[in-house]
Amino acid sequence: MPSWVNALFVLPMARVGDSVLFAGRALAAALRPPFEFKETARQLYEIGWLSVPLVAVSGFAVGIVLSMHTRASLERFGAEALIPAALTLALVRETGPLVVGLLISGRVGAGIGAELGAMKVTEQIDALEASAVDSFNFLVVTRVVACIVAMPILTTVMNFTGILGGWAAESAVSGLGLFSYLRAAFSIVQFTDYLPGTLKTMVFGFIIAITASYLGINSSQGTQGVGRAATRSVVLASVLLIATNVVLVRLIFFVFPESAQ
Amino acid sequence: MGSPRLAFVGTFVAGGLLLFAVGLFLIGDRRQLFTEHFELEADFGNVTGIVIGTSVRLAGLEAGEVLGLEIPAGPGERFAVRMRVREDLRPLVRTDSVAAVLTDGLLGAVFIQIRSGSTSAPEVADGGAIRGVDSIEIADLIEEGRDTFRVVADEFLGLREQMAGTFLALGETAETTAQLINDAGDDIQTVTNATAGLMEDVRAILADTRTLTGDLSGGRGTVGKLLGDEALYTHLVGTAQEAEATMRAVRGSAERVEQLVGQFGGEEGQTAKLLADASDAVRLARHAMSDLAENTEAIKRNWLFRGFFSERGFYNLDELALDEYRELLTRDRYTPLRIWIDGDLLFDTDLDGRVALAVDADRRIDEAMSELLIYPRDSPLVVEGYASGGGRGQEFVSSQARADVVRDYLVAVYGRVSTITGTMPIGSDATESPAGDGSWNGVALTLLVDPQHLTRGTHPATTEQ
């Protein structure tokens, strides 16, 4: 086999195959005892709770910006009354999930990649195995489960802080009250907008955790490899997340045709 | 892992779930999932924009949502739209209620509006059906608007040319007049000043018109532009108003010139030439004036401006005094077609003592309307209320109540546009009534028809039902 075929096709495909097996193994392990509840809770704290300030502040800012842009567009048509609904629909359907996904892939993906990479190069993972601890279950599955659980919650936080930000911007212009704004905000949002948009972030969480864990656990070449693993985790997770989002949106439209209206 | 961290994790998960549940509740509350409902059905020929979950409103209130659409078996048949409506609104939904597909403003979401029915009709049963009325699509309106603006632009351009001819004639008259001012005295001076003032007015209008037509031909006058550009809209409406004012000025000046023509009729020489020129000017001015009148009338009747003009009293029938209304009927603009309906069998009194339609009233009104349905739907219709007995005040109150009940029926059942369906409480005086004694007790449906549409039918001036 020519070396270029090996470099361009065989090796990358081998990595893809290996990562798919890695993901399948993580999924299977997540559903099978023993469950590492304490470590999962610790990861939930690290991944979820500690991300709340970042997500909340970002959501508030995104809400303000969206409100300003929506106002500029709708004002031309005298449709300012639609601003809360348009903003909420944009946030709940796409902006909230995607922004949270990218934020978490940056903050958490890099963290997982670097942490597991460091453990790998310092042979801490081997030490865990030597202590009869299932390192995969303890390090990977707990992070995957924590990411899957945390993402919809963080998305909800992003959505509501975004709506609050939108209200803050709107109230500064028109003096609209919070409850009136909330009523208008949810006036055209359907369950088929809210539920799939929020729950698809579980897939995002899975992608972020699996990508970062895979690259971290397979890192090599010392501290340089750790840095590379962290960077690649963020880049690859972000790209995969955006690409998967396209498929997920198409799938949501197929399952819930009314959400495409 | 310490207990504070666990507490944070618990707060994170519980708080997140709570926030998620709040979102679900807000959506569910908006969709009124937590209130009792009944189902009903309406049929539509066109279901553009209607999907499962489309909002249903009754008298402006959020009343429910669309549950499903049934596709008709073949072409020409109508779609059945199944809706869920709040149980507490059921008393307002009668078998003669009408459902229509409307849009929240120009860009808003589509919703179904149910008009509450008449008190005489029974309530709709659970799973019952009401009539659906197809609405005009906004795309059709925009297309109509485009055509209208093309017509307006052409009309104004034509008008400009005609007015240019008038200017020339008036200009020559003014120049000639200037030479003769000293000879002809103060009266001619007055005419000249009036003519010069008139020319300034008309020139100003033409400048506005030129700008407007320039905007239109430059592609900036599309409906989209007009709708988005308040200034252009105001500009066009202002031009129309100005045209009306000038039209009056032209008429006034023309009359004055005519008077002078009469005074100088027997004289010879230059004065005679001046008068001949003045006569031509008057004729041309009148011609232009007539075109102006037609143009402003066309603008007023256009769908886009109708609301604007009706707001200002042009067609606001509710604001017309009785004398104004009678004067309106004598104008050439409309030919009133009146159908008299006797009130004895038409009205009843409900439990609260209010005037209501009697059991068989709808048949009588339908018979009367059947004679008017051949005329354009946008013809103004006035329900004249008549009542006798109980003094003038009581007659007025009763005739207003009678007219209101019939008007509501026409709006609900015939889909008459409320802004061009008015009421006029008249009392008992009815000089043209078929009773022959100069009085009437009941109502008269008076359709104000454009004379050019009268060829459509036998158009009886008055008919008794």
Side-chain angles (χ1 to χ4, degrees):
Chain A
M1 187 182 296
S3 60
W4 63 269
V5 174
N6 199 43
L8 285 179
F9 183 74
V10 177
L11 282 179
M13 283 301 112
R15 291 290 288 250
V16 170
D18 192 33
S19 59
V20 169
L21 285 177
F22 185 85
R25 188 180 159 202
L27 259 186
L31 301 171
R32 193 178 55 217
F35 300 114
E36 298 285 350
F37 287 115
K38 274 194 177 174
E39 180 60 14
T40 305
R42 197 182 74 81
Q43 291 303 328
L44 208 49
Y45 173 81
E46 296 285 341
I47 294 167
W49 178 257
L50 294 183
S51 298
V52 168
L54 170 72
V55 168
V57 171
S58 306
F60 196 80
V62 166
I64 292 174
V65 171
L66 272 182
S67 179
M68 290 192 295
H69 276 296
T70 317
R71 169 165 277 281
S73 303
L74 294 182
E75 210 172 28
R76 293 180 199 167
F77 304 102
E80 292 96 328
L82 291 175
I83 293 171
L87 179 140
T88 307
L89 207 56
L91 263 176
V92 164
R93 274 187 174 180
E94 209 47 70
T95 311
L98 200 59
V99 171
V100 167
L102 294 174
L103 284 174
I104 298 304
S105 74
R107 182 186 173 276
V108 175
I112 293 174
E115 190 181 1
L116 295 187
M119 287 178 81
K120 169 79 176 177
V121 298
T122 55
E123 297 179 349
Q124 290 181 59
I125 294 175
D126 295 335
L128 277 174
E129 291 288 341
S131 314
V133 174
D134 182 349
S135 65
F136 187 82
N137 208 19
F138 188 78
L139 297 176
V140 177
V141 174
T142 51
R143 282 166 174 77
V144 168
V145 171
C147 266
I148 289 174
V149 173
M151 282 298 284
I153 296 173
L154 290 172
T155 304
T156 307
V157 172
M158 163 71 84
N159 289 342
F160 274 86
T161 52
I163 291 169
L164 275 179
W167 167 72
E170 186 59 28
S171 106
V173 177
S174 66
L176 190 65
L178 177 60
F179 290 106
S180 303
Y181 188 88
L182 280 178
R183 247 195 318 275
F186 284 89
S187 62
I188 58 171
V189 178
Q190 307 281 342
F191 285 130
T192 48
D193 300 314
Y194 186 63
L195 290 175
T198 307
L199 298 182
K200 78 176 176 186
T201 56
M202 294 171 90
V203 179
F204 292 173
F206 180 74
I207 289 170
I208 293 167
I210 286 293
T211 308
S213 300
Y214 179 78
L215 292 173
I217 266 184
N218 289 296
S219 66
S220 56
Q221 298 171 353
T223 50
Q224 201 178 8
V226 174
R228 202 180 299 129
T231 308
R232 281 183 179 172
S233 296
V234 176
V235 173
L236 195 59
S238 302
V239 170
L240 281 176
L241 194 143
I242 291 168
T244 311
N245 189 40
V246 176
V247 179
L248 283 175
V249 168
R250 196 61 240 169
L251 191 69
I252 289 167
F253 284 178
F254 179 72
V255 179
F256 306 104
E258 55 269 36
S259 65
Q261 308 280 338
Chain B
M1 187 172 167
S3 59
R5 280 191 174 189
L6 274 178
F8 286 137
V9 171
T11 307
F12 174 67
V13 174
L17 288 176
L18 189 70
L19 214 51
F20 187 69
V22 167
L24 289 178
F25 177 80
L26 283 170
I27 297 169
D29 187 48
R30 207 278 302 162
R31 293 184 62 188
Q32 297 161 356
L33 294 180
F34 314 116
T35 52
E36 270 191 78
H37 289 86
F38 70 100
E39 286 187 20
L40 62 91
E41 206 172 86
D43 56 332
F44 298 97
N46 186 344
V47 288
T48 306
I50 299 180
V51 292
I52 293 170
T54 294
S55 172
V56 175
R57 296 183 195 170
L58 196 150
L61 274 175
E62 281 295 334
E65 64 177 3
V66 169
L67 293 178
L69 284 119
E70 283 175 30
I71 296 166
E77 294 181 39
R78 293 164 73 81
F79 291 85
V81 175
R82 207 152 39 81
M83 293 167 271
R84 184 171 64 178
V85 177
R86 272 163 51 184
E87 183 65 43
D88 57 336
L89 294 176
R90 196 203 282 247
L92 299 177
V93 186
R94 303 300 176 105
T95 50
D96 61 355
S97 289
V98 178
V101 182
L102 302 177
T103 309
D104 227 349
L106 279 173
L107 299 170
V110 169
F111 66 94
I112 293 181
Q113 171 82 26
I114 298 177
R115 291 199 201 104
S116 50
S118 63
T119 49
S120 55
E123 287 178 14
V124 170
D126 193 2
I130 59 172
R131 196 161 63 89
V133 176
D134 290 323
S135 58
I136 303 168
E137 281 186 54
I138 197 68
D140 296 339
L141 289 177
I142 287 173
E143 192 51 44
E144 186 189 340
R146 278 204 191 103
D147 290 345
T148 304
F149 282 114
R150 253 178 244 129
V151 171
V152 170
D154 291 345
E155 288 290 326
F156 273 111
L157 283 171
L159 176 64
R160 185 175 64 179
E161 285 171 14
Q162 284 185 318
M163 289 302 278
T166 308
F167 292 156
L168 283 174
L170 288 173
E172 284 172 12
T173 305
E175 282 170 20
T176 314
T177 306
Q179 293 169 5
L180 297 172
I181 283 172
N182 292 330
D183 300 334
D186 291 342
D187 286 338
I188 292 295
Q189 176 76 58
T190 308
V191 173
T192 309
N193 289 342
T195 309
L198 171 67
M199 286 170 68
E200 283 306 311
D201 283 348
V202 179
R203 273 200 187 108
I205 283 189
L206 282 184
D208 279 352
T209 308
R210 208 170 291 123
T211 308
L212 173 68
T213 49
D215 285 347
L216 288 163
S217 59
R220 297 185 295 278
T222 61
V223 161
K225 171 70 179 169
L226 191 71
L227 293 174
D229 189 341
E230 185 71 21
L232 184 56
Y233 173 81
T234 312
H235 184 84
L236 182 53
V237 173
T239 303
Q241 284 177 325
E242 207 175 334
E244 271 211 317
T246 307
M247 187 178 70
R248 284 195 293 275
V250 170
R251 186 186 293 131
S253 297
E255 283 169 2
R256 298 192 69 175
V257 175
E258 260 188 331
Q259 286 172 3
L260 287 166
V261 169
Q263 287 171 18
F264 286 92
E267 299 196 13
E268 297 289 329
Q270 285 184 307
T271 308
K273 184 179 180 305
L274 161 69
L275 294 176
D277 288 346
S279 293
D280 283 345
V282 170
R283 188 172 51 76
L284 285 168
R286 275 192 163 162
H287 192 61
M289 182 180 74
S290 163
D291 282 345
L292 265 171
E294 282 177 15
N295 281 315
T296 48
E297 192 64 27
I299 292 173
K300 280 189 221 166
R301 295 177 72 83
N302 176 261
W303 67 273
L304 201 59
F305 298 106
R306 198 181 292 143
F308 176 86
F309 281 103
S310 65
E311 276 174 18
R312 281 150 185 78
F314 285 92
Y315 291 119
N316 199 339
L317 300 168
D318 293 338
E319 290 178 5
L320 277 183
L322 181 56
D323 288 340
E324 288 174 317
Y325 172 63
R326 283 182 170 144
E327 199 269 329
L328 178 77
L329 295 182
T330 62
R331 288 187 197 165
D332 295 337
R333 188 200 295 175
Y334 296 118
T335 301
L337 303 181
R338 192 180 272 119
I339 310 287
W340 301 88
I341 312 177
D342 196 326
D344 287 344
L345 297 171
L346 197 63
F347 299 108
D348 209 344
T349 309
D350 65 12
L351 295 173
D352 300 326
R354 289 178 301 199
V355 173
L357 289 178
V359 175
D360 205 24
D362 51 351
R363 187 182 59 77
R364 292 171 186 282
I365 298 173
D366 292 348
E367 275 178 26
M369 279 300 287
S370 65
E371 296 199 30
L372 302 177
L373 291 175
I374 55 171
Y375 300 105
R377 284 170 60 83
D378 63 349
S379 305
L381 189 147
V382 181
V383 181
E384 297 172 355
Y386 296 91
S388 56
R392 191 148 181 78
Q394 188 55 43
E395 282 177 353
F396 176 84
V397 172
S398 300
S399 57
Q400 177 71 70
R402 288 177 164 192
D404 284 345
V405 169
V406 175
R407 176 183 178 271
D408 289 347
Y409 177 84
L410 295 176
V411 170
V413 176
Y414 285 89
R416 288 278 315 172
V417 178
S418 56
T419 51
I420 55 166
T421 307
T423 58
M424 184 51 62
I426 292 185
S428 60
D429 296 338
T431 50
E432 297 174 359
S433 86
D437 59 357
S439 70
W440 188 250
N441 187 32
V443 293
L445 307 182
T446 305
L447 192 71
L448 303 175
V449 183
D450 191 321
Q452 68 179 355
H453 294 300
L454 283 178
T455 51
R456 292 188 182 200
T458 52
H459 54 83
T462 52
T463 307
E464 183 188 0
Q465 290 291 328

